[in-house]
Amino acid sequence: MSNTIDMLESGMAGPKPVMEREKSIGMESCYTVQMPLGTWFVILDNPRQRDTEEHARKAAREHLRVPNPTHRSVCAACLPSGKMVKLDGHTRTFLWASGKLEAPADGTVTVTVYPVHDMEEAKDLFDTFDNRLAVMTTQGRLTGGKREHTLELHSSCLSGTALHATSLKICDAIATQGILQVQKPDPEHVIIGRWKPVLEMVDAQGYGRMSTGMLAGILLTWVLYASTARYGAMKGFWLSYFEVHKSSVSKHWLPAEALRFRVNKESDFGGGRVLNARTLAYVCMALEAHFAGKTFLGKNEPVRLALKSEENPIDVVMRHVRQAGGIPPVEKWRKIADSVLQHS
């Protein structure tokens, strides 16, 4: 077998390993080697790996609290160049290296090596291991997706756990299939890659943390209007919302002010899919009023910012998208984002 193990910290391919066992996997075969811990430590982390440090904190209190002989068994993918990429063991590696988990006494690990054709196959194989072991949460998959696509988010609106997978999936379903929800959405890392330009635009605004439905509303309106003549008005609407602007006229509500009231009131009645759809509909209705230069009337609440009993919030959202001229093709999002960020 021509595959070689990366035995040097520089990442260069080293001598061909001695195979202890081998079994057929399709046209290729996997094999195991005994590897020094120091060599295992410097093998590349899988690009889809979650937030290792965060997971390690929990694991150190639970299943990795006490050393176990099974901990020494790890897996890696081997690229045609001989370089390796971890398929599992990221958390154990972190804990071993930081001295928080007792390392194998002989200073080696048993590595099962899977030859792959390229990095994409290594990433896909990582997903297979992850599904089998059921160790990655939705937030972990988002973190892995951000790492894979070198996406760094810093605002309170999108950094850390503020980025909701459901918000992304709602917007992605609207953008790619014209509906509010699909039964089998793309994996989080695929959606992250597609929405990276939009996320970068929104992140640059420095917005605060939002609910799932409201975050979907922000992402949707930015992708709808960032390249249109209404870009400035849309941006002004969200500025009004986050700066909590209020009408100076009695019994009048600014659209963003009315939206804040309505969303807060709706949240008193629970959450979930229905609330997300209704929230997104209210965002569209309030934004339309803002574009038209209108206010909502009402002594104690903005009366007309409300869904009729027979009105489907999904219909409201999709009608707004059509009236806006539809969402630009995905292949144009990068150029749109670059233009916005250049002039921010």
Side-chain angles (χ1 to χ4, degrees), residues 71-104:
H71 293 165
R72 68 181 302 139
S73 297
V74 293
C75 298
C78 185
L79 300 169
S81 65
K83 278 195 174 184
M84 288 192 175
V85 185
K86 291 186 180 78
L87 293 175
D88 69 356
H90 297 79
T91 302
R92 280 168 283 167
T93 301
F94 177 84
L95 292 173
W96 284 330
S98 60
K100 296 178 180 178
L101 177 65
E102 184 179 333

mmCIF file of all heavy atoms in Angstrom, residues 71-104:
data_model
loop_
_atom_site.group_PDB
_atom_site.id
_atom_site.type_symbol
_atom_site.label_atom_id
_atom_site.label_comp_id
_atom_site.label_asym_id
_atom_site.label_seq_id
_atom_site.Cartn_x
_atom_site.Cartn_y
_atom_site.Cartn_z
ATOM 1 N N HIS A 71 -9.957 4.381 25.283
ATOM 2 C CA HIS A 71 -9.643 5.753 24.870
ATOM 3 C C HIS A 71 -8.466 5.811 23.907
ATOM 4 O O HIS A 71 -8.329 6.773 23.152
ATOM 5 C CB HIS A 71 -9.333 6.624 26.098
ATOM 6 C CG HIS A 71 -10.514 6.836 26.990
ATOM 7 N ND1 HIS A 71 -10.399 7.326 28.276
ATOM 8 C CD2 HIS A 71 -11.830 6.624 26.781
ATOM 9 C CE1 HIS A 71 -11.594 7.405 28.824
ATOM 10 N NE2 HIS A 71 -12.477 6.989 27.936
ATOM 11 N N ARG A 72 -7.619 4.792 23.940
ATOM 12 C CA ARG A 72 -6.409 4.833 23.116
ATOM 13 C C ARG A 72 -6.688 4.500 21.657
ATOM 14 O O ARG A 72 -5.800 4.630 20.805
ATOM 15 C CB ARG A 72 -5.352 3.886 23.674
ATOM 16 C CG ARG A 72 -5.693 2.415 23.556
ATOM 17 C CD ARG A 72 -4.605 1.532 24.151
ATOM 18 N NE ARG A 72 -3.338 1.770 23.500
ATOM 19 C CZ ARG A 72 -2.164 1.844 24.146
ATOM 20 N NH1 ARG A 72 -2.122 1.711 25.454
ATOM 21 N NH2 ARG A 72 -1.058 2.042 23.474
ATOM 22 N N SER A 73 -7.897 4.052 21.340
ATOM 23 C CA SER A 73 -8.243 3.717 19.955
ATOM 24 C C SER A 73 -8.860 4.927 19.264
ATOM 25 O O SER A 73 -9.882 5.456 19.708
ATOM 26 C CB SER A 73 -9.223 2.539 19.924
ATOM 27 O OG SER A 73 -8.629 1.385 20.470
ATOM 28 N N VAL A 74 -8.219 5.374 18.200
ATOM 29 C CA VAL A 74 -8.684 6.549 17.462
ATOM 30 C C VAL A 74 -8.686 6.234 15.969
ATOM 31 O O VAL A 74 -8.186 5.196 15.540
ATOM 32 C CB VAL A 74 -7.799 7.782 17.743
ATOM 33 C CG1 VAL A 74 -7.941 8.246 19.180
ATOM 34 C CG2 VAL A 74 -6.337 7.468 17.429
ATOM 35 N N CYS A 75 -9.252 7.152 15.179
ATOM 36 C CA CYS A 75 -9.352 6.930 13.732
ATOM 37 C C CYS A 75 -8.903 8.176 12.975
ATOM 38 O O CYS A 75 -9.075 9.304 13.442
ATOM 39 C CB CYS A 75 -10.790 6.594 13.334
ATOM 40 S SG CYS A 75 -11.420 5.072 14.085
ATOM 41 N N ALA A 76 -8.340 7.950 11.807
ATOM 42 C CA ALA A 76 -7.883 9.054 10.959
ATOM 43 C C ALA A 76 -8.072 8.690 9.496
ATOM 44 O O ALA A 76 -8.086 7.510 9.129
ATOM 45 C CB ALA A 76 -6.409 9.371 11.230
ATOM 46 N N ALA A 77 -8.242 9.715 8.679
ATOM 47 C CA ALA A 77 -8.278 9.539 7.226
ATOM 48 C C ALA A 77 -6.892 9.854 6.681
ATOM 49 O O ALA A 77 -6.196 10.740 7.194
ATOM 50 C CB ALA A 77 -9.314 10.454 6.596
ATOM 51 N N CYS A 78 -6.481 9.131 5.647
ATOM 52 C CA CYS A 78 -5.173 9.360 5.031
ATOM 53 C C CYS A 78 -5.372 9.845 3.598
ATOM 54 O O CYS A 78 -5.982 9.156 2.774
ATOM 55 C CB CYS A 78 -4.345 8.083 5.045
ATOM 56 S SG CYS A 78 -2.650 8.331 4.439
ATOM 57 N N LEU A 79 -4.887 11.041 3.315
ATOM 58 C CA LEU A 79 -4.985 11.626 1.976
ATOM 59 C C LEU A 79 -3.935 10.999 1.055
ATOM 60 O O LEU A 79 -2.964 10.413 1.534
ATOM 61 C CB LEU A 79 -4.785 13.133 2.064
ATOM 62 C CG LEU A 79 -5.791 13.900 2.929
ATOM 63 C CD1 LEU A 79 -5.323 15.323 3.147
ATOM 64 C CD2 LEU A 79 -7.165 13.887 2.292
ATOM 65 N N PRO A 80 -4.111 11.125 -0.258
ATOM 66 C CA PRO A 80 -3.122 10.563 -1.192
ATOM 67 C C PRO A 80 -1.710 11.068 -0.948
ATOM 68 O O PRO A 80 -0.733 10.369 -1.234
ATOM 69 C CB PRO A 80 -3.648 11.008 -2.560
ATOM 70 C CG PRO A 80 -5.124 11.132 -2.364
ATOM 71 C CD PRO A 80 -5.284 11.663 -0.956
ATOM 72 N N SER A 81 -1.574 12.273 -0.398
ATOM 73 C CA SER A 81 -0.248 12.835 -0.130
ATOM 74 C C SER A 81 0.440 12.169 1.053
ATOM 75 O O SER A 81 1.641 12.359 1.261
ATOM 76 C CB SER A 81 -0.372 14.336 0.157
ATOM 77 O OG SER A 81 -1.098 14.545 1.357
ATOM 78 N N GLY A 82 -0.345 11.396 1.836
ATOM 79 C CA GLY A 82 0.208 10.803 3.042
ATOM 80 C C GLY A 82 -0.169 11.554 4.293
ATOM 81 O O GLY A 82 -0.025 11.041 5.400
ATOM 82 N N LYS A 83 -0.657 12.794 4.140
ATOM 83 C CA LYS A 83 -1.112 13.543 5.305
ATOM 84 C C LYS A 83 -2.367 12.901 5.878
ATOM 85 O O LYS A 83 -3.177 12.340 5.157
ATOM 86 C CB LYS A 83 -1.407 14.997 4.930
ATOM 87 C CG LYS A 83 -0.184 15.889 4.891
ATOM 88 C CD LYS A 83 -0.582 17.338 4.878
ATOM 89 C CE LYS A 83 0.642 18.237 4.998
ATOM 90 N NZ LYS A 83 0.268 19.659 5.086
ATOM 91 N N MET A 84 -2.518 13.041 7.188
ATOM 92 C CA MET A 84 -3.675 12.465 7.859
ATOM 93 C C MET A 84 -4.569 13.557 8.428
ATOM 94 O O MET A 84 -4.124 14.673 8.703
ATOM 95 C CB MET A 84 -3.233 11.520 8.974
ATOM 96 C CG MET A 84 -2.654 10.221 8.466
ATOM 97 S SD MET A 84 -2.475 9.040 9.819
ATOM 98 C CE MET A 84 -1.923 7.622 8.873
ATOM 99 N N VAL A 85 -5.828 13.183 8.609
ATOM 100 C CA VAL A 85 -6.846 14.074 9.171
ATOM 101 C C VAL A 85 -7.633 13.270 10.199
ATOM 102 O O VAL A 85 -8.077 12.150 9.914
ATOM 103 C CB VAL A 85 -7.812 14.585 8.080
ATOM 104 C CG1 VAL A 85 -8.787 15.600 8.676
ATOM 105 C CG2 VAL A 85 -7.047 15.192 6.919
ATOM 106 N N LYS A 86 -7.799 13.817 11.388
ATOM 107 C CA LYS A 86 -8.523 13.094 12.433
ATOM 108 C C LYS A 86 -9.984 12.852 12.028
ATOM 109 O O LYS A 86 -10.635 13.731 11.461
ATOM 110 C CB LYS A 86 -8.496 13.878 13.748
ATOM 111 C CG LYS A 86 -7.128 13.956 14.426
ATOM 112 C CD LYS A 86 -7.251 14.634 15.788
ATOM 113 C CE LYS A 86 -5.910 14.741 16.495
ATOM 114 N NZ LYS A 86 -5.103 15.853 15.950
ATOM 115 N N LEU A 87 -10.476 11.684 12.366
ATOM 116 C CA LEU A 87 -11.889 11.346 12.197
ATOM 117 C C LEU A 87 -12.608 11.313 13.538
ATOM 118 O O LEU A 87 -13.832 11.465 13.593
ATOM 119 C CB LEU A 87 -12.041 9.993 11.498
ATOM 120 C CG LEU A 87 -11.571 9.942 10.046
ATOM 121 C CD1 LEU A 87 -11.659 8.513 9.520
ATOM 122 C CD2 LEU A 87 -12.394 10.885 9.166
ATOM 123 N N ASP A 88 -11.876 11.074 14.599
ATOM 124 C CA ASP A 88 -12.416 11.154 15.948
ATOM 125 C C ASP A 88 -11.251 11.404 16.901
ATOM 126 O O ASP A 88 -10.116 11.619 16.472
ATOM 127 C CB ASP A 88 -13.207 9.882 16.312
ATOM 128 C CG ASP A 88 -12.310 8.650 16.481
ATOM 129 O OD1 ASP A 88 -11.079 8.745 16.236
ATOM 130 O OD2 ASP A 88 -12.837 7.589 16.845
ATOM 131 N N GLY A 89 -11.543 11.413 18.188
ATOM 132 C CA GLY A 89 -10.485 11.592 19.178
ATOM 133 C C GLY A 89 -10.051 13.018 19.416
ATOM 134 O O GLY A 89 -9.084 13.254 20.147
ATOM 135 N N HIS A 90 -10.745 13.994 18.844
ATOM 136 C CA HIS A 90 -10.348 15.392 19.033
ATOM 137 C C HIS A 90 -10.407 15.785 20.511
ATOM 138 O O HIS A 90 -9.496 16.446 21.027
ATOM 139 C CB HIS A 90 -11.268 16.320 18.240
ATOM 140 C CG HIS A 90 -11.210 16.132 16.761
ATOM 141 N ND1 HIS A 90 -11.866 15.108 16.121
ATOM 142 C CD2 HIS A 90 -10.586 16.843 15.791
ATOM 143 C CE1 HIS A 90 -11.650 15.199 14.813
ATOM 144 N NE2 HIS A 90 -10.876 16.238 14.594
ATOM 145 N N THR A 91 -11.478 15.391 21.188
ATOM 146 C CA THR A 91 -11.645 15.774 22.587
ATOM 147 C C THR A 91 -10.622 15.085 23.474
ATOM 148 O O THR A 91 -10.015 15.711 24.346
ATOM 149 C CB THR A 91 -13.070 15.432 23.061
ATOM 150 O OG1 THR A 91 -14.013 16.104 22.229
ATOM 151 C CG2 THR A 91 -13.275 15.865 24.508
ATOM 152 N N ARG A 92 -10.410 13.783 23.252
ATOM 153 C CA ARG A 92 -9.385 13.075 24.017
ATOM 154 C C ARG A 92 -8.013 13.702 23.802
ATOM 155 O O ARG A 92 -7.225 13.869 24.742
ATOM 156 C CB ARG A 92 -9.360 11.598 23.608
ATOM 157 C CG ARG A 92 -10.446 10.750 24.254
ATOM 158 C CD ARG A 92 -10.544 9.396 23.602
ATOM 159 N NE ARG A 92 -11.241 9.460 22.320
ATOM 160 C CZ ARG A 92 -11.254 8.480 21.427
ATOM 161 N NH1 ARG A 92 -10.569 7.358 21.662
ATOM 162 N NH2 ARG A 92 -11.921 8.592 20.305
ATOM 163 N N THR A 93 -7.718 14.047 22.565
ATOM 164 C CA THR A 93 -6.424 14.663 22.263
ATOM 165 C C THR A 93 -6.235 15.952 23.047
ATOM 166 O O THR A 93 -5.168 16.210 23.622
ATOM 167 C CB THR A 93 -6.320 14.952 20.747
ATOM 168 O OG1 THR A 93 -6.470 13.724 20.032
ATOM 169 C CG2 THR A 93 -4.982 15.582 20.402
ATOM 170 N N PHE A 94 -7.285 16.771 23.067
ATOM 171 C CA PHE A 94 -7.213 18.043 23.804
ATOM 172 C C PHE A 94 -6.974 17.790 25.294
ATOM 173 O O PHE A 94 -6.139 18.457 25.928
ATOM 174 C CB PHE A 94 -8.503 18.829 23.609
ATOM 175 C CG PHE A 94 -8.563 20.114 24.388
ATOM 176 C CD1 PHE A 94 -7.981 21.274 23.897
ATOM 177 C CD2 PHE A 94 -9.196 20.160 25.626
ATOM 178 C CE1 PHE A 94 -8.026 22.456 24.622
ATOM 179 C CE2 PHE A 94 -9.244 21.334 26.361
ATOM 180 C CZ PHE A 94 -8.658 22.478 25.858
ATOM 181 N N LEU A 95 -7.686 16.822 25.853
ATOM 182 C CA LEU A 95 -7.550 16.543 27.283
ATOM 183 C C LEU A 95 -6.200 15.909 27.609
ATOM 184 O O LEU A 95 -5.598 16.210 28.647
ATOM 185 C CB LEU A 95 -8.697 15.633 27.740
ATOM 186 C CG LEU A 95 -10.093 16.277 27.722
ATOM 187 C CD1 LEU A 95 -11.172 15.240 28.032
ATOM 188 C CD2 LEU A 95 -10.181 17.436 28.714
ATOM 189 N N TRP A 96 -5.708 15.038 26.744
ATOM 190 C CA TRP A 96 -4.377 14.461 26.953
ATOM 191 C C TRP A 96 -3.311 15.555 26.918
ATOM 192 O O TRP A 96 -2.445 15.626 27.779
ATOM 193 C CB TRP A 96 -4.070 13.427 25.872
ATOM 194 C CG TRP A 96 -4.760 12.110 26.031
ATOM 195 C CD1 TRP A 96 -5.148 11.510 27.200
ATOM 196 C CD2 TRP A 96 -5.134 11.223 24.974
ATOM 197 N NE1 TRP A 96 -5.759 10.310 26.933
ATOM 198 C CE2 TRP A 96 -5.752 10.091 25.571
ATOM 199 C CE3 TRP A 96 -5.010 11.252 23.587
ATOM 200 C CZ2 TRP A 96 -6.247 9.019 24.831
ATOM 201 C CZ3 TRP A 96 -5.494 10.186 22.840
ATOM 202 C CH2 TRP A 96 -6.114 9.076 23.461
ATOM 203 N N ALA A 97 -3.401 16.396 25.909
ATOM 204 C CA ALA A 97 -2.381 17.438 25.724
ATOM 205 C C ALA A 97 -2.390 18.452 26.856
ATOM 206 O O ALA A 97 -1.344 19.019 27.207
ATOM 207 C CB ALA A 97 -2.594 18.139 24.381
ATOM 208 N N SER A 98 -3.555 18.694 27.433
ATOM 209 C CA SER A 98 -3.666 19.684 28.511
ATOM 210 C C SER A 98 -3.490 19.062 29.893
ATOM 211 O O SER A 98 -3.576 19.762 30.905
ATOM 212 C CB SER A 98 -5.025 20.393 28.432
ATOM 213 O OG SER A 98 -6.097 19.460 28.555
ATOM 214 N N GLY A 99 -3.258 17.729 29.926
ATOM 215 C CA GLY A 99 -3.031 17.054 31.198
ATOM 216 C C GLY A 99 -4.288 16.811 32.011
ATOM 217 O O GLY A 99 -4.210 16.466 33.204
ATOM 218 N N LYS A 100 -5.448 16.946 31.397
ATOM 219 C CA LYS A 100 -6.712 16.771 32.126
ATOM 220 C C LYS A 100 -7.258 15.353 32.019
ATOM 221 O O LYS A 100 -8.275 15.034 32.631
ATOM 222 C CB LYS A 100 -7.734 17.782 31.612
ATOM 223 C CG LYS A 100 -7.323 19.223 31.893
ATOM 224 C CD LYS A 100 -8.332 20.212 31.324
ATOM 225 C CE LYS A 100 -7.890 21.644 31.613
ATOM 226 N NZ LYS A 100 -8.823 22.643 31.027
ATOM 227 N N LEU A 101 -6.615 14.525 31.213
ATOM 228 C CA LEU A 101 -6.965 13.111 31.109
ATOM 229 C C LEU A 101 -5.661 12.330 31.053
ATOM 230 O O LEU A 101 -4.755 12.683 30.296
ATOM 231 C CB LEU A 101 -7.793 12.842 29.850
ATOM 232 C CG LEU A 101 -8.172 11.379 29.580
ATOM 233 C CD1 LEU A 101 -9.111 10.862 30.668
ATOM 234 C CD2 LEU A 101 -8.820 11.248 28.204
ATOM 235 N N GLU A 102 -5.581 11.279 31.877
ATOM 236 C CA GLU A 102 -4.370 10.481 31.907
ATOM 237 C C GLU A 102 -4.134 9.823 30.555
ATOM 238 O O GLU A 102 -5.001 9.124 30.022
ATOM 239 C CB GLU A 102 -4.486 9.406 32.986
ATOM 240 C CG GLU A 102 -3.223 8.577 33.165
ATOM 241 C CD GLU A 102 -3.376 7.540 34.257
ATOM 242 O OE1 GLU A 102 -4.188 7.779 35.185
ATOM 243 O OE2 GLU A 102 -2.695 6.499 34.193
ATOM 244 N N ALA A 103 -2.952 10.051 29.984
ATOM 245 C CA ALA A 103 -2.617 9.514 28.668
ATOM 246 C C ALA A 103 -2.263 8.032 28.764
ATOM 247 O O ALA A 103 -1.935 7.532 29.843
ATOM 248 C CB ALA A 103 -1.457 10.296 28.077
ATOM 249 N N PRO A 104 -2.352 7.317 27.645
ATOM 250 C CA PRO A 104 -1.941 5.904 27.640
ATOM 251 C C PRO A 104 -0.535 5.748 28.215
ATOM 252 O O PRO A 104 0.370 6.534 27.903
ATOM 253 C CB PRO A 104 -1.991 5.536 26.153
ATOM 254 C CG PRO A 104 -3.033 6.453 25.587
ATOM 255 C CD PRO A 104 -2.861 7.736 26.335
#
